[in-house]
Amino acid sequence: MDTFFANLKVWSKRKHRLLGKYLPPFSAKVGSWAKLIYCIDGFAGPAKYEDGSAGSPLMMAQLADKAASWRRPVSLRLFNVEDNPEHYKSLKHVTQPWETNGVVINRQGQFGELVPTILSIVSDNPALFFIDPYGPTYVLFSHLLPILRRQQRATELIINFDADGLRRIADTMHARTVTERAVKASKTNIENVTEIIGSDKWQEPFKEGNLPTQERERMLLRIYMENIEKYDYTVTAYAIRKTVKDSPKYFLVYCTRHPDGIVLMSNFIREEEDNLLEESTTDAHQPKLSDEFNVLGQEIIWRRRELSDLLLEFLKQHTLTTRRSIRKYFSFERFGDFSDKDYNAVVKDFISANKLLPRHGKKQINDDEPLTFVG
Ligand SMILES: C[S@@+](CC[C@H](N)C(=O)[O-])C[C@H]1O[C@@H](n2cnc3c(N)ncnc32)[C@H](O)[C@@H]1O
């Protein structure tokens, strides 16, 4: 087994945490109207790391058990694809109980080639595709097209997009090539980048060669996201990194056709960023001195002040609203910037200051209580 799976890296934990946070509310929401939901793990891995921690297929299988025992049970079906024989063997072994009871389907092979098979099994059921290769070259845009074109609006994708790896390949267009072989290799690389992100819009700005590394990476990501958006998706990206100071290991590109997905994900990403900030500033061996040194606490105070100002502007335009509408509006406008707790706290302050009046006249509100802005 290769070193990637020897233990769960910090950034893989972040990826799993986001997936683990998102899947239950997604399943509960979609499960309120759908009989069956498919989760497709297109690059499933061995399901268990050598240090015993769960890989994504095991996480999802455990969630399927939980969802089946909810008060309003939800049926999840998991479709795992893995190409590497050794990883596949482990995947089969670890998920065997779920394969036996029909919750899990495992297939060995390449994701790109198996997309038609997956789609025929998934049929018109809602589906979430988790596409998590290592390296940028395994998922071509043409593999995604039949997924993006699904009629079923409850189709979502979480894609691990290796912008750094792809930028390195794209940069080879500047390699000083002399041999015929090297010229051919550079041409192939250029074609590959285009096939992966789904258009050649990147080539001109890359040719000019004056963009800094990070901007070249962001540009590849942006074009990729725009190409997905053409299929009626809202697309966001979250940089997965080891600490706040590190450059991204990769981006998790999240694609949805439902506003609720954006609201959920925006909150989880804010929570994840807060974790990152806390990890970078807490010294386990040092007791906290005072609030002044509590970087996360300060950050929360600052951003709630900002949200207060933004909310005031919003309310001038929307004098009758609800907390749900407020959260939805800002989850789109300022994706990943504020958490549910921030919205609750700021709205509560407005109510306490009698700037927002709940229709029922009490201070405690739920998300759908009509609120009137009285300035
Ligand atoms: C990053 S790992 C997956 C980790 C897993 N999703 C998790 O979170 O626990 C990528 C996996 O994809 C497999 N793989 C590589 N190319 C593939 C392909 N074309 N189709 C399917 N699986 C592939 C690798 O063998 C590896 O196990």
Side-chain angles (χ1 to χ4, degrees):
M1 199 164 288
D2 47 65
T3 48
F4 181 88
F5 293 105
N7 55 47
L8 194 54
K9 302 281 188 299
V10 185
W11 53 86
S12 295
K13 278 194 193 142
R14 299 194 190 295
K15 172 178 73 182
H16 284 167
R17 212 155 44 204
L18 267 178
L19 190 67
K21 278 187 175 179
Y22 182 67
L23 270 174
F26 165 79
S27 309
K29 269 180 199 278
V30 176
S32 66
W33 56 266
K35 279 211 297 282
L36 201 58
I37 304 168
Y38 276 89
C39 295
I40 296 91
D41 200 335
F43 294 76
K48 215 173 209 178
Y49 293 76
E50 278 174 16
D51 67 359
S53 40
S56 51
L58 180 55
M59 279 180 54
M60 294 203 210
Q62 288 165 342
L63 170 70
D65 284 349
K66 276 204 190 127
S69 68
W70 286 340
R71 197 163 50 83
R72 286 196 211 127
V74 171
S75 290
L76 290 183
R77 290 276 181 284
L78 314 174
F79 195 124
N80 301 317
V81 177
E82 173 56 49
D83 194 28
N84 176 303
E86 228 182 291
H87 294 178
Y88 187 71
K89 203 170 140 205
S90 166
L91 172 71
K92 283 283 275 187
H93 176 71
V94 174
T95 58
Q96 192 263 324
W98 291 275
E99 210 172 359
T100 309
N101 68 20
V103 169
V104 163
I105 302 170
N106 292 314
R107 285 278 188 283
Q108 187 178 359
Q110 298 201 355
F111 172 72
E113 285 178 6
L114 283 168
V115 168
T117 312
I118 297 168
L119 290 180
S120 74
I121 290 178
V122 169
S123 186
D124 60 356
N125 292 294
L128 178 113
F129 292 79
F130 180 49
I131 300 177
D132 182 30
Y134 28 52
T137 55
Y138 295 101
V139 184
L140 303 185
F141 207 81
S142 61
H143 298 150
L144 299 181
L145 277 179
I147 301 171
L148 297 176
R149 288 192 176 124
R150 290 187 83 211
Q151 295 284 310
Q152 171 55 262
R153 290 194 62 80
T155 298
E156 303 208 342
L157 300 92
I158 298 177
I159 309 170
N160 173 334
F161 183 79
D162 181 357
D164 166 67
L166 200 60
R167 190 263 312 153
R168 283 169 203 271
I169 301 176
D171 279 349
T172 62
M173 70 152 45
H174 297 295
R176 288 212 185 115
T177 43
V178 274
T179 64
E180 202 181 316
R181 220 170 119 205
V183 173
K184 213 172 147 200
S186 163
K187 207 169 150 248
T188 308
N189 281 343
I190 293 171
E191 281 166 12
N192 283 347
V193 174
T194 297
E195 282 185 35
I196 291 162
I197 63 170
S199 65
D200 62 6
K201 230 174 122 183
W202 64 278
Q203 289 187 21
E204 275 310 311
F206 258 70
K207 254 182 217 145
E208 287 163 19
N210 49 11
L211 284 176
T213 308
Q214 209 186 2
E215 277 180 44
R216 296 204 295 289
E217 288 172 11
R218 296 280 166 159
M219 188 182 63
L220 291 171
L221 174 66
R222 206 175 47 247
I223 296 172
Y224 187 62
M225 291 167 68
E226 282 167 10
N227 286 337
I228 297 176
E229 278 164 2
K230 289 178 193 150
Y231 297 86
D232 196 17
Y233 285 83
T234 302
V235 185
T236 65
Y238 177 56
I240 296 280
R241 54 219 198 278
K242 198 169 161 211
T243 73
V244 254
K245 293 180 203 112
D246 286 303
S247 55
K249 286 295 290 178
Y250 47 80
F251 290 87
L252 280 186
V253 174
Y254 167 65
C255 319
T256 182
R257 283 168 164 162
H258 201 291
D260 288 353
I262 295 296
V263 173
L264 284 172
M265 209 44 121
S266 177
N267 174 51
F268 295 146
I269 281 173
R270 181 66 262 167
E271 288 180 358
E272 200 48 42
E273 286 294 283
D274 283 352
N275 273 335
L276 211 58
L277 202 57
E278 191 161 36
E279 280 167 20
S280 75
T281 54
T282 6
D283 183 344
H285 307 290
Q286 195 72 27
K288 277 208 178 82
L289 295 175
S290 75
D291 267 359
E292 212 180 315
F293 294 92
N294 179 352
V295 175
L296 177 60
Q298 281 301 321
E299 149 70 26
I300 291 174
I301 291 169
W302 283 113
R303 72 170 187 251
R304 287 186 186 171
R305 273 188 204 151
E306 189 194 2
L307 182 58
S308 267
D309 293 343
L310 292 168
L311 181 58
L312 199 58
E313 289 312 306
F314 171 86
L315 291 172
K316 286 178 192 163
Q317 309 294 323
H318 308 83
T319 45
L320 184 62
T321 187
T322 61
R323 192 168 65 194
R324 188 184 302 284
S325 307
I326 292 169
R327 196 166 56 212
K328 182 172 159 191
Y329 178 82
F330 287 108
S331 296
F332 276 83
E333 288 294 306
R334 297 287 301 264
F335 182 78
D337 284 350
F338 305 110
S339 67
D340 285 354
K341 284 187 185 147
D342 296 331
Y343 294 115
N344 293 352
V346 171
V347 169
K348 193 172 168 213
D349 285 349
F350 272 63
I351 293 172
S352 300
N354 292 322
K355 289 183 195 160
L356 269 179
L357 302 183
R359 184 191 283 170
H360 63 20
K362 295 177 234 161
K363 297 279 181 209
Q364 291 286 350
I365 59 155
N366 65 28
D367 275 348
D368 295 311
E369 179 62 29
L371 304 169
T372 307
F373 177 57
V374 285

